[in-house]
Amino acid sequence: MQPEKITQTEYTIELNRLHGRREELEEAESTLTSHDHGGGLPADDQNRLARVRGELADVLQQIGDLQDRWADAGHARPNPDGALGE
């Protein structure tokens, strides 16, 4: 199945939105982990941290999928490093 065509504008808007959300989630993760002073986090914060990390993983996957979709549409070469840049 061929990926749905995407315009440069749509790609840019969606990529910027996803990167903005990624930054928000990374900040939330940092804030939650800063509350751990060696004794571990309370259960509520552990649950929040798990949700944030899960959503962050989803956003990173969406970024990679969008980049692949853009590349598959013939606009760019695929990024072998993916969204994480590793």
Side-chain angles (χ1 to χ4, degrees):
M1 186 168 132
Q2 291 293 327
E4 184 179 325
K5 295 287 184 186
I6 184 170
T7 67
Q8 173 72 43
T9 302
E10 291 169 328
Y11 172 75
T12 302
I13 290 170
E14 183 64 7
L15 190 61
N16 288 338
R17 183 190 71 77
L18 289 169
H19 278 298
R21 184 63 182 143
R22 178 188 50 84
E23 290 173 5
E24 291 171 5
L25 291 165
E26 287 173 346
E27 186 175 322
E29 178 185 37
S30 179
T31 299
L32 284 166
T33 57
S34 72
H35 295 153
D36 183 358
H37 301 287
L41 291 171
D44 286 346
D45 284 344
Q46 287 177 7
N47 291 337
R48 283 187 200 97
L49 183 58
R51 281 193 301 273
V52 165
R53 286 180 172 163
E55 189 173 345
L56 180 56
D58 289 343
V59 167
L60 291 172
Q61 181 65 51
Q62 290 171 16
I63 290 170
D65 291 347
L66 180 64
Q67 290 171 336
D68 289 346
R69 181 177 164 205
W70 180 249
D72 289 345
H75 299 292
R77 290 189 352 233
N79 181 356
D81 297 332
L84 298 177
E86 296 175 338

